[in-house]
Amino acid sequence: QDRAAKQAERESEKKETVTNTVEVKQPATPAAPKEYTECRLQLRLPTGQPVVNTFKSEEDTGGRGCFIRDDGRAGDIRLMTSFPRKQFQPTDFAFSLKSLGLCPSSVIIVSRQ
């Protein structure tokens, strides 16, 4: 009789805990996409040396090439990302870093043409 009473008590406790732990989850409201004003680029030079610099996210990519050439580290260059794999064409240099998907930070591999 004691076993049956204890068993019934345990069963009622289990039912209470199950009903207490079930919560109605509200669907999370999607967060607004964050607006980045700066873009941190790590440029991997042909020598393997990394150059890290921060640029405005609305600047065009051509400024990056000018930055490397003016820095005296490369001549005619080609820019690409490793993941997702993308090679930038001269026509891409007119687009902003943000529109190319390079914000908030990216690694760009610099190679000689």
Side-chain angles (χ1 to χ4, degrees):
Q1 290 178 354
D2 285 336
R3 284 185 179 176
K6 286 182 182 180
Q7 183 68 23
E9 188 178 313
R10 281 190 222 130
E11 291 296 323
S12 66
E13 285 177 5
K14 284 182 184 177
K15 288 180 184 177
E16 287 177 15
T17 25
V18 168
T19 56
N20 289 340
T21 58
V22 174
E23 297 177 17
V24 177
K25 291 187 177 182
Q26 297 291 332
T29 57
K34 188 170 180 180
E35 290 295 320
Y36 297 102
T37 57
E38 291 186 338
C39 181
R40 181 180 173 272
L41 292 182
Q42 179 182 23
L43 303 166
R44 289 277 182 182
L45 301 178
T47 61
Q49 178 185 8
V51 176
V52 179
N53 208 336
T54 303
F55 301 97
K56 300 272 187 211
S57 63
E58 296 300 326
E59 286 184 31
D60 60 22
T61 316
R64 305 311 67 69
C66 292
F67 167 75
I68 298 166
R69 280 191 292 272
D70 293 345
D71 205 21
R73 299 182 191 205
D76 290 331
I77 58 168
R78 183 174 48 211
L79 303 177
M80 60 186 273
T81 58
S82 59
F83 186 82
R85 189 152 181 89
K86 180 175 181 179
Q87 186 168 354
F88 297 104
Q89 304 301 321
T91 56
D92 293 332
F93 292 171
F95 295 106
S96 70
L97 297 169
K98 187 177 187 178
S99 65
L100 291 173
L102 298 174
C103 290
S105 65
S106 292
V107 176
I108 295 181
I109 300 166
V110 180
S111 60
R112 291 194 174 105
Q113 288 185 342

